Amino acid sequence: SSALSIRQLTKIYDNGFQALHGIDLDVAEGDFFALLGPNGAGKSTTIGILSTLVTKSGGTVNVFGHDLDADPSGLKRCLGVVPQEFNFNQFEKAFDILTTQAGYYGIPLRVAKERAERYLKQLGLWDKRDVPSRMLSGGMKRRLMIARALMHEPRLLILDEPTAGVDIELRRSMWTFLTELNRQGVTIILTTHYLEEAEQLCRNIAIIDHGRIVENTSMRALLQKL
Ligand code: ADP
Ligand code: ADP
């Protein structure tokens, strides 16, 4: 079945700039999918619309059967988003950031604490659990963003340039974590401007440029063409 279905998605910003020109995109359940494109192509705009931070100008978005317009709260429950910018409460401790997030979804505190511990351990952050987020390195914040997006156990996880500015060793450990998550059944979409990252991780790929999808194929077929 379909995890994400986007039809004729358009975005015109308030200054009149058209960032998306009628995007169509389908991602199947269980897929590990890359949205690849240069800076300014429209990747963050697309993700912003999914996370309701950006209002779309036209088109439809559907996540696991939940339409963005008709059922936004249903859509939110099955979607986790890791944006590019850190937006933590600077003074809140890593562990508390996770349990606070779970609270927004009505998850019981006991369950929230179990999940927070599990994800902090899996992501190598357990010894930082009592550190305020502003004291964490960029790579640690990046991992904490991923843990936070997983607290309500979404079926679809979308990450906007998850390894930007992350050193190669940490990048590889994040790849391992995401691959395992996908193996456990979570559908993953990531944006990147590194073909190498998409190649390592993803089965299917769409290439976006100037607000248009210019290629949508399997990773294998793309690599044969290059
Ligand atoms: P929306 O249509 O989703 O409400 P806006 O058009 O109001 O979004 O823009 C949101 C904010 O982003 C505004 O404060 C705007 O000034 C700022 N902004 C303008 N141009 C850019 C740009 N090229 N990149 C990022 N942010 C921008
Ligand atoms: P990407 O994530 O692929 O780098 P973005 O979605 O951030 O691309 O941006 C797509 C285009 O929309 C760019 O030309 C960017 O300058 C423009 N843009 C982004 N945000 C705004 C905004 N708030 N107002 C006006 N233009 C914007």
Side-chain angles (χ1 to χ4, degrees):
S1 75
S2 167
L4 173 68
S5 173
I6 290 177
R7 289 287 171 277
Q8 287 303 304
L9 186 65
T10 58
K11 174 60 184 177
I12 302 168
Y13 281 105
D14 289 353
N15 66 359
F17 181 78
Q18 182 155 10
L20 299 178
H21 296 262
I23 294 227
D24 291 329
L25 202 59
D26 285 289
V27 178
E29 179 166 16
D31 204 354
F32 202 138
F33 191 94
L35 186 60
L36 179 79
N39 276 323
K43 304 184 294 295
S44 296
T45 299
T46 305
I47 288 179
I49 291 168
L50 280 156
S51 62
T52 70
L53 289 172
V54 176
T55 54
K56 63 185 167 67
S57 305
T60 61
V61 175
N62 193 291
V63 176
F64 285 109
H66 302 280
D67 180 82
L68 179 63
D69 297 317
D71 182 16
S73 61
L75 183 148
K76 263 190 172 154
R77 263 183 278 118
C78 44
L79 174 66
V81 176
V82 182
Q84 262 186 64
E85 325 76 46
F86 303 125
N87 53 3
F88 297 121
N89 175 339
Q90 298 264 335
F91 303 98
E92 199 171 19
K93 295 170 181 176
F95 190 89
D96 299 342
I97 283 173
L98 300 184
T99 53
T100 299
Q101 177 77 7
Y104 298 143
Y105 289 89
I107 294 162
L109 187 59
R110 185 184 53 80
V111 178
K113 286 180 170 174
E114 282 168 13
R115 284 185 194 166
E117 179 173 343
R118 172 156 48 96
Y119 290 128
L120 288 173
K121 284 181 173 167
Q122 285 177 4
L123 286 159
L125 290 170
W126 182 239
D127 61 336
K128 305 292 175 193
R129 61 190 176 278
D130 290 326
V131 175
S133 69
R134 71 190 155 90
M135 307 286 282
L136 299 174
S137 73
M140 291 173 194
K141 286 180 186 162
R142 190 60 66 202
R143 283 175 280 160
L144 188 60
M145 297 273 285
I146 295 175
R148 187 178 61 178
L150 291 171
M151 285 304 288
H152 62 296
E153 301 202 318
R155 298 166 73 189
L156 172 62
L157 180 69
I158 303 185
L159 308 103
D160 198 358
E161 308 243 1
T163 59
V166 165
D167 69 54
I168 185 66
E169 200 177 321
L170 178 55
R171 185 176 302 177
R172 288 193 189 287
S173 77
M174 285 170 67
W175 289 354
T176 304
F177 176 82
L178 293 174
T179 302
E180 177 58 24
L181 198 66
N182 177 245
R183 222 182 47 76
Q184 288 166 13
V186 179
T187 307
I188 300 181
I189 302 174
L190 59 82
T191 76
T192 181
H193 51 251
Y194 303 114
L195 179 62
E196 189 222 356
E197 181 159 78
E199 193 182 327
Q200 287 287 329
L201 291 172
C202 300
R203 280 189 289 279
N204 292 297
I205 184 168
I207 301 177
I208 182 170
D209 192 21
H210 291 94
R212 291 188 168 84
I213 301 287
V214 295
E215 184 84 74
N216 187 353
T217 182
S218 72
M219 201 65 233
R220 185 176 303 163
L222 180 74
L223 293 173
Q224 276 167 5
K225 268 173 73 168
L226 295 179

